[in-house]
């Protein structure tokens, strides 16, 4: 599951091709991460896998920050304007990750991805009451078209018989709130500080909860647990680098290529064959998302 951290610093967004390359790499890494998560959640609690993802995140990011040296590391952490706000962001991201991992256990990767791509639509709507933003008629129409795409992609579902189908919507809502919290609390913070505190909040809470869901890890699964943790951090760093090298409105649409990666991974690893309706809905959702990104710019 991908996330957005911060807008690039002034003067940094001048390498569009490099930004696109970072975004393509981040999208592929996110899909590999989620494929590993889906595999592990067939045998282990999603809570345990969430903990591994955040523990690995902190190990990799902590090592990277130490390599930068203490003076620079201290300056990065000092950029934070609201520490409680950063922890709110982290808790929202943890909630989104938990919903996502629960969904990956029960649903095809592609279906979860398509519904998660509706989060920019929710951001547009929720920004009206929460941030006081105004929505033009054109952007409102794009949001409506995107939600039509969600209905098409999900298809007819008996919610009482398939309650797991609701999980991606919980993920999309929490992720949208996370993005709004980033706008509110992390707008001027250094991206690495935002990434650190978001990971720290997730690692702290999941470490408290995970003993109640712990299952002994088989020796053969240890490398995959470690890989999930490492991919969680490296994919986020790739996303940050993409946003720092080029405007978000330019590079964000390339993240939608996760549709391709998820289709290939779902078929090769889990034998999932997507429905035509899923792709039709994805076209509307992605089109609406790209329109909102470019229109906002």
């Amino acid at each position: 599951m991908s996330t957005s951290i911060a807008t690039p610093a002034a003067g940094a967004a001048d390498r569009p091709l490099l930004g696109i390359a970072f975004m393509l790499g981040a999208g592929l890494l996110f899909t590999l991460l989620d494929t590993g998560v889906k595999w592990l959640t067939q045998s282990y609690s999603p809570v345990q896998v969430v903990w591994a993802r955040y523990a690995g995140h902190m190990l990799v990011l902590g090592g990277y920050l130490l390599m930068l040296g203490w003076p620079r590391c201290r300056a990065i952490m000092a950029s934070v304007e609201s520490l409680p706000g950063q922890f709110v962001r982290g808790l929202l991201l943890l909630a989104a990750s938990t919903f996502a991992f629960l969904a990956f256990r029960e649903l095809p990767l592609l279906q979860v991805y398509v519904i998660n791509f509706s989060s920019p639509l929710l951001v547009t709507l929720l920004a009206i009451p929460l941030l006081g933003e105004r929505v033009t008629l054109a952007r409102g129409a794009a949001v409506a078209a995107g939600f039509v795409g969600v209905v098409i992609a999900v298809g007819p579902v008996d919610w009482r018989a398939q309650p797991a189908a609701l999980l991606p919507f919980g993920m999309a809502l929490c992720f949208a709130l996370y993005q709004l919290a980033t706008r509110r609390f992390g707008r001027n913070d250094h991206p690495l500080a935002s990434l650190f505190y978001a990971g720290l909040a997730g690692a702290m809470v999941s470490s408290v909860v995970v003993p109640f869901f712990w299952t002994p890890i088989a020796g053969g699964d240890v490398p995959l647990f470690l890989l999930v943790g490492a991919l969680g951090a490296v994919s986020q760093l790739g996303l940050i680098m993409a946003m720092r090298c080029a405007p978000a409105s330019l590079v964000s649409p390339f993240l939608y290529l996760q549709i391709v990666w998820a289709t290939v991974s779902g078929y090769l690893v889990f034998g999932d064959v997507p429905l035509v309706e899923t792709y039709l809905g994805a076209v509307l959702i992605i089109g609406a998302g790209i329109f909102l990104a470019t229109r906002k710019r």
Side-chain angles (χ1 to χ4, degrees), residues 71-117:
R72 187 176 178 191
C73 182
R74 182 174 58 183
I76 289 172
M77 294 305 153
S79 71
V80 173
E81 296 179 349
S82 173
L83 191 58
Q86 285 288 357
F87 273 90
V88 168
R89 289 180 60 254
L91 293 177
L92 287 170
L93 184 59
L94 174 64
S97 298
T98 303
F99 275 117
F101 288 15
L102 287 166
F104 287 139
R105 181 171 64 175
E106 305 292 340
L107 303 172
L109 282 174
L110 182 59
Q111 184 178 358
V112 178
Y113 273 37
V114 169
I115 296 175
N116 184 54
F117 284 148

Side-chain angles (χ1 to χ4, degrees), residues 211-233:
F212 300 99
F213 298 88
W214 187 265
T215 299
I217 300 175
D221 292 332
V222 170
L224 187 53
F225 268 97
L226 295 174
L227 181 62
V228 162
L231 286 173

Side-chain angles (χ1 to χ4, degrees), residues 218-285:
D221 292 332
V222 170
L224 187 53
F225 268 97
L226 295 174
L227 181 62
V228 162
L231 286 173
V234 175
S235 57
Q236 291 287 348
L237 287 173
L239 187 67
I240 286 177
M241 293 304 299
M243 296 294 185
R244 291 180 71 82
C245 290
S249 57
L250 172 65
V251 298
S252 293
F254 289 92
L255 197 60
Y256 289 124
L257 281 174
Q258 285 182 289
I259 291 287
V260 177
W261 315 141
T263 299
V264 174
S265 177
Y267 178 74
L268 294 179
V269 180
F270 304 106
D272 296 331
V273 179
L275 300 174
V276 175
E277 291 85 350
T278 303
Y279 288 113
L280 292 176
V283 169
L284 283 174
I285 296 169

Side-chain angles (χ1 to χ4, degrees), residues 22-42:
F22 272 121
M23 185 60 78
L24 290 173
L28 180 57
L29 291 175
F30 279 126
T31 305
L32 293 175
L33 165 65
D34 295 334
T35 301
V37 166
K38 183 173 177 61
W39 183 275
L40 288 174
T41 53
Q42 306 306 306

